[in-house]
């Protein structure tokens, strides 16, 4: 599998081979959906908590006598029927964490990368060398590459200017090859991959086999 290699001005400067085991897989929508659901579930903190009638302050004394007042019977002002009382079946802190087997995680990532390539949303750049670590230079480069509103730059961190220049660009995500995940790939408008990151991704994939 061959693809064009561009520079940050959007000009073609060569070609490179894409690993077919990573970018040449037929996407499985069910697997992608499952991987995205697991990722989103694992981002939830699950710390919402409501007090029951045993935890709210007050109570202990019967508000009024059982009979003769004309009012409904009541034994405590901590009842869920009262303002300031406890909550029935309220949320309690718990974990939303779910697990996905390593093999399925790897396959889902390959399916996501292949889907992006099939949509024409993968760009390989030779080097991401910016003149200065300025937001303006990064915005110009992304515009030349037609990266869209939520681009993802995949690099090995060899260029320190890249992180500094991209900090104030709305929607831009910078990721290293070893930290790629299915949801991040699917949620981006275009993947901008450097040559060194592409080689590192191929090595990581070979090691995991």
């Amino acid at each position: 599998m061959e693809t064009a290699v561009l520079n940050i001005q959007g000009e073609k400067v060569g070609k490179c081979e894409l690993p077919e085991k990573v970018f040449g897989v037929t996407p499985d929508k069910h697997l992608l959906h499952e991987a995205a659901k697991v990722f989103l579930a694992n981002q939830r903190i699950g710390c919402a908590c409501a007090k029951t009638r045993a935890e709210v302050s007050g109570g202990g004394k019967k508000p009024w006598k059982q009979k003769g007042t004309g009012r409904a019977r009541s034994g405590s002002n901590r009842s869920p029927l009262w303002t300031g009382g406890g909550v029935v079946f309220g949320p309690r802190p718990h974990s939303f964490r779910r697990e996905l087997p390593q093999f399925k995680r790897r396959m889902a990532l390959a399916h996501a990368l292949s889907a992006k390539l099939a949509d024409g949303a993968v760009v390989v750049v030779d080097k991401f060398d910016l003149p200065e670590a300025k937001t303006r230079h990064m915005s110009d480069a992304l515009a030349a590459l037609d990266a869209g509103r939520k681009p993802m730059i995949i690099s090995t961190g060899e260029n320190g200017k890249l992180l500094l220049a991209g900090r104030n660009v709305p929607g831009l995500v910078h990721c290293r090859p070893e930290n790629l995940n299915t949801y991040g790939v699917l949620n981006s408008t275009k993947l901008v991959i450097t040559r060194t990151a592409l080689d590192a991704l191929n090595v990581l994939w070979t090691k995991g086999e």
Side-chain angles (χ1 to χ4, degrees), residues 27-198:
D28 184 342
K29 292 183 179 180
H30 176 74
L31 179 60
L32 293 175
H33 175 70
E34 183 179 6
K37 281 184 64 178
V38 169
F39 177 83
L40 292 175
N42 291 344
Q43 306 309 302
R44 301 182 67 178
I45 300 177
C47 60
C49 182
K51 292 183 178 181
T52 65
R53 65 184 299 161
E55 297 169 324
V56 296
S57 61
K61 179 184 178 183
K62 190 174 174 65
W64 50 76
K65 62 181 184 179
Q66 181 82 347
K67 296 181 177 294
T69 64
R71 289 181 287 186
R73 295 170 292 183
S74 180
S76 171
N77 60 5
R78 295 184 298 184
S79 167
L81 303 178
W82 284 54
T83 300
V87 178
V88 181
F89 304 129
R92 306 298 291 179
H94 68 286
S95 173
F96 289 93
R97 184 160 189 83
R98 299 171 59 183
E99 295 295 336
L100 195 66
Q102 182 181 3
F103 174 75
K104 295 186 76 172
R105 288 201 306 269
R106 283 170 53 85
M107 289 303 300
L109 180 57
H111 286 216
L113 292 171
S114 299
K116 283 294 180 182
L117 181 64
D119 291 341
V122 175
V123 175
V124 179
V125 295
D126 186 24
K127 293 180 181 179
F128 220 109
D129 288 334
L130 300 173
E132 294 180 278
K134 299 287 187 180
T135 305
R136 172 169 49 86
H137 296 311
M138 175 62 77
S139 298
D140 292 343
L142 293 176
L145 296 171
D146 191 23
R149 293 175 55 249
K150 294 190 293 183
M152 174 184 282
I153 297 178
I154 305 172
S155 75
T156 55
E158 68 277 6
N159 186 355
K161 295 179 182 178
L162 201 59
L163 288 173
L164 294 175
R167 288 187 302 180
N168 292 330
V169 178
L172 174 63
V173 176
H174 182 268
C175 187
R176 298 176 68 93
E178 60 269 23
N179 296 331
L180 277 176
N181 63 79
T182 302
Y183 180 80
V185 171
L186 294 176
N187 194 43
S188 62
T189 53
K190 183 161 286 189
L191 303 178
V192 181
I193 311 175
T194 63
R195 287 289 296 271
T196 54
L198 187 61

Side-chain angles (χ1 to χ4, degrees), residues 1-3 16-25 114 117:
M1 297 179 63
E2 279 192 351
T3 187
C16 72
E17 291 283 340
L18 293 177
E20 190 169 353
K21 55 192 173 185
V22 182
F23 291 93
V25 184
S114 299
L117 181 64

